[in-house]
Amino acid sequence: MKKELGYGVALAGALAGAGALAAAVIRKKKREEIYHEAEIKAMNELDEMMSEAEDDALDCAACSCAEACAAAAEQAEDAADETPDAPAEEAPEDAAPKDAAE
């Protein structure tokens, strides 16, 4: 009787282990599936954003405000070029040049 009980406990343990392994495999597979779906969704959203950006760029080139945008960009570049990085020392307008004083 003890022997049969031991076999029963061993069989129950083996079945429980197999069930736990199956559950772990199923959970892992489900996690991978969810990750894969999220990855595909993110890639699709990125593709949509890229196509919208291309469409917006094409629309801006064809619109009537393109000239105004280009002029504003040119003015911004000119202003950046005229602005010195370090303040230059300038002589006051009233002061005479040093060479003329001698």
Side-chain angles (χ1 to χ4, degrees):
M1 179 86 171
K2 280 187 172 182
K3 198 174 192 182
E4 291 173 1
L5 184 62
Y7 286 136
V9 170
L11 181 62
L15 289 174
L21 180 63
V25 168
I26 290 170
R27 273 188 265 142
K28 182 180 178 185
K29 199 170 198 174
K30 188 169 185 167
R31 266 188 259 129
E32 288 177 356
E33 183 179 320
I34 291 171
Y35 175 78
H36 184 67
E37 288 175 5
E39 187 177 27
I40 289 173
K41 183 178 178 183
M43 290 177 70
N44 288 339
E45 288 178 5
L46 180 62
D47 288 342
E48 288 175 9
M49 287 172 45
M50 295 293 285
S51 67
E52 286 176 7
E54 289 174 3
D55 291 342
D56 289 345
L58 294 175
D59 290 342
C60 186
C63 73
S64 62
C65 69
E67 294 157 357
C69 291
E74 188 175 312
Q75 287 177 352
E77 283 182 15
D78 290 343
D81 290 342
E82 291 175 3
T83 305
D85 292 337
E89 293 183 26
E90 295 182 12
E93 293 178 16
D94 295 339
K98 291 182 183 179
D99 293 336
E102 293 177 8

